[in-house]
Amino acid sequence: MINTIKELLESIRIQGINEISKFSHIKHGPTIGDMYEGLTKEMLNKAIFKDLNLKVCSGFICNRENELSKQIDCMIVVGDGIEIPYIKAYKYDIRQVIAVIEVKKDLFGKEMDLSYKNLLSVKNIIKPDHDMEIDIFEQAYENVTGRKLPNKQELDKMAEEEQYLYHALLVESYMPIRIAFGYGGFSTEQSLRRAFIDYMSSNTKVKGYSVSSIPSLIVADQNSILKTNGIPFAISIKNQEKGEWGVLGSANRAPILLLLYLIWTRLYYLFPDLPEEIFDNTEIFINPLMKAKGRKEGWEYTFIEGKLEYSNEEMWKPLEITLMSNVLLKMIEKGYSITLDNKFLIEECVKNGEVFSEVIKDLVYKRIVCVDNSVIRVLSDNWITVIYNGKYYFGDNFNNRMIEWCNKLKFVR
């Protein structure tokens, strides 16, 4: 379903830009802005579901103390707001806001700064008593850290960096999605990355540039910077340190797909009647951009350089694992409690040319298992392992995707 809607929105985007270009002789900035905001609202109205009482509008966001955000171009909201007299704008309580979108004809450095500060005004009126769906927080924490969500007693024993990460992901879980959407702008992924790195580097010590203040998505034409907060996107880092967060990635195509996945994932958790089938299991490759680690002195950012891969859109496929990874998972499936000092698996790994500690490290990196008090646990509640052409695969069966993948092939369970 998501691909069908994505293609519809993409056609609306292209048609809308063509229509707006016919009025290029109009040089009045606010009118140009209004046209692009209107196009964005039309796209978003096609992206939200009927019968959920969702609306797309412009206006202001307030909190319980009636503190206001700056004026917002587009927002997806639930229920009714307060209509502002004589203009087509509304005031909404932040607890009703699903997503906030700042719209730009072109997104370059100046527009990035303006969008960032407007979106920051939304974050600044969030209060600690804001409601939150625990399932969203659990997904964010597990996807980012590769561990189960700790309880209060476990959290108190964690290192400072881990506690900062925990609280940052908590804020991500109840804050509205915040998007800066430029129809044009930086022509390459590399130029967008470089501009963002320069922007963040020049504001490192400035209030309002902590990790929670960074928008969920920044789009310039076909290039994007994406916050990988685990809702739903996440980046796994090799040899990831405790408390370290692969917080940002970038892509060079399909910004509409990224926007849809951000919005629909949030809606999926907020509205229990939405089926898994709204997702079509399309994946897109994300290039890592930035790591973060929180301390009392502030957040430390590390920018990731390297060759950028093309952001292909592909149908989901399971993760390839080793023979001994498969053995371990089969034992867990049969009810065995497997610990880090399991002598049988240590010896079997040696016999098969593998190292047990490396097997565990690879499974943790791939977000297949976590280690809880030396006990190895599978993160997913609905998973399958299969053998195909002499290779071993693991898949989370969300939206029946593993079953569908298996049905296309001849495999052995």
Side-chain angles (χ1 to χ4, degrees):
M1 181 177 177
I2 201 165
N3 247 349
T4 305
I5 298 295
K6 180 188 78 83
E7 289 161 5
L8 173 62
L9 296 190
E10 187 60 31
S11 67
I12 293 173
R13 184 187 74 86
I14 293 170
Q15 182 179 348
I17 291 172
N18 289 337
E19 288 292 320
I20 292 171
S21 68
K22 295 175 184 177
F23 294 86
S24 60
H25 58 284
I26 297 177
K27 304 302 180 184
H28 185 242
T31 299
I32 296 170
D34 287 346
M35 287 191 286
Y36 279 98
E37 287 174 25
L39 172 56
T40 306
K41 287 174 185 174
E42 182 172 348
M43 291 167 57
L44 292 175
N45 272 308
K46 299 294 184 184
I48 59 178
F49 302 97
K50 296 179 180 179
D51 305 321
L52 296 182
N53 201 18
L54 297 172
K55 299 172 184 176
V56 178
C57 62
S58 302
F60 298 85
I61 300 170
C62 65
N63 59 22
R64 296 180 188 184
E65 298 175 10
N66 212 30
E67 295 173 311
L68 286 178
S69 69
K70 292 184 178 181
Q71 187 169 3
I72 301 301
D73 292 339
C74 295
M75 49 186 174
I76 299 175
V77 294
V78 183
D80 296 324
I82 299 172
E83 186 171 3
I84 299 173
Y86 306 114
I87 60 173
K88 292 182 179 179
Y90 295 81
K91 185 175 80 168
Y92 268 88
D93 188 293
I94 194 161
R95 290 166 294 175
Q96 296 173 264
V97 180
I98 304 294
V100 178
I101 299 95
E102 279 297 298
V103 181
K104 301 297 176 186
K105 175 181 180 292
D106 295 304
L107 193 141
F108 291 106
K110 178 183 176 182
E111 292 79 15
M112 182 185 293
D113 179 54
L114 290 171
S115 298
Y116 188 104
K117 289 173 179 173
N118 248 37
L119 295 172
L120 180 62
S121 75
V122 177
K123 187 252 185 182
N124 286 343
I125 63 170
I126 289 278
K127 296 296 180 183
D129 60 354
H130 194 89
D131 297 332
M132 182 199 66
E133 292 291 327
I134 189 64
D135 287 349
I136 298 177
F137 185 28
E138 286 180 336
Q139 177 186 351
Y141 191 86
E142 289 181 14
N143 285 350
V144 169
T145 68
R147 302 193 300 275
K148 290 288 187 182
L149 187 68
N151 58 37
K152 180 66 168 60
Q153 292 73 26
E154 292 168 332
L155 179 64
D156 291 340
K157 296 176 184 178
M158 288 181 169
E160 178 186 51
E161 294 89 347
E162 293 179 278
Q163 294 193 31
Y164 270 86
L165 175 55
Y166 175 98
H167 289 294
L169 292 174
L170 178 63
V171 173
E172 292 291 320
S173 301
Y174 61 70
M175 201 163 10
I177 299 161
R178 290 149 297 135
I179 298 170
F181 196 95
Y183 284 86
F186 293 103
S187 60
T188 67
E189 180 184 7
Q190 185 62 59
S191 60
L192 175 60
R193 286 168 64 101
R194 177 48 53 195
F196 182 82
I197 290 171
D198 291 344
Y199 180 68
M200 292 299 296
S201 298
S202 64
N203 289 288
T204 304
K205 304 298 182 182
V206 180
K207 184 179 179 181
Y209 289 82
S210 69
V211 72
S212 296
S213 301
I214 298 171
S216 313
L217 180 66
I218 299 172
V219 175
D221 196 5
Q222 291 299 300
N223 305 299
S224 306
I225 290 173
L226 175 70
K227 197 169 197 180
T228 44
N229 59 10
I231 319 171
F233 302 98
I235 293 173
S236 188
I237 304 170
K238 284 283 188 183
N239 302 314
Q240 186 168 350
E241 299 175 10
K242 288 187 175 181
E244 191 173 43
W245 177 8
V247 67
L248 291 175
S250 66
N252 44 52
R253 63 170 297 167
I256 297 295
L257 179 67
L258 300 177
L259 180 146
L260 282 173
Y261 263 105
L262 288 176
I263 294 171
W264 285 16
T265 299
R266 188 63 60 106
L267 294 177
Y268 174 76
Y269 281 101
L270 294 177
F271 297 95
D273 290 337
L274 283 179
E276 294 179 356
E277 288 76 19
I278 63 174
F279 302 98
D280 71 348
N281 299 326
T282 301
E283 292 188 316
I284 184 167
F285 182 82
I286 305 296
N287 287 299
L289 171 59
M290 190 176 87
K291 297 187 293 184
K293 183 177 283 190
R295 294 190 176 90
K296 193 177 297 183
E297 299 79 17
W299 283 89
E300 174 188 306
Y301 298 145
T302 304
F303 298 105
I304 303 170
E305 303 288 353
K307 183 181 177 181
L308 301 180
E309 301 292 336
Y310 185 66
S311 299
N312 286 318
E313 287 181 70
E314 298 179 339
M315 289 305 295
W316 177 90
K317 56 183 180 294
L319 296 166
E320 186 175 345
I321 57 176
T322 67
L323 165 64
M324 289 310 302
S325 297
N326 189 62
V327 171
L328 183 156
L329 291 166
K330 286 295 185 186
M331 291 179 68
I332 293 176
E333 187 178 32
K334 291 177 180 178
Y336 290 95
S337 178
I338 307 298
T339 58
L340 293 175
D341 60 355
N342 187 287
K343 291 183 179 179
F344 169 77
L345 286 172
I346 291 172
E347 293 172 358
E348 287 300 307
C349 280
V350 172
K351 292 178 184 177
N352 288 279
E354 298 188 50
V355 178
F356 187 54
S357 61
E358 293 299 318
V359 169
I360 303 304
K361 186 184 293 185
D362 181 62
L363 291 174
V364 169
Y365 169 70
K366 290 175 177 173
R367 298 296 186 261
I368 294 174
V369 306
C370 65
V371 180
D372 184 9
N373 293 324
S374 294
V375 177
I376 302 160
R377 305 185 188 281
V378 181
L379 282 168
S380 171
D381 294 325
N382 183 14
W383 54 277
I384 298 172
T385 59
V386 299
I387 306 170
Y388 177 69
N389 279 352
K391 294 182 178 181
Y392 303 88
Y393 295 93
F394 170 94
D396 182 314
N397 198 39
F398 176 81
N399 195 20
N400 212 38
R401 59 192 180 185
M402 188 63 174
I403 296 293
E404 289 182 3
W405 184 83
C406 291
N407 287 340
K408 295 176 183 177
L409 308 166
K410 292 180 179 179
F411 71 96
V412 179
R413 278 207 64 187

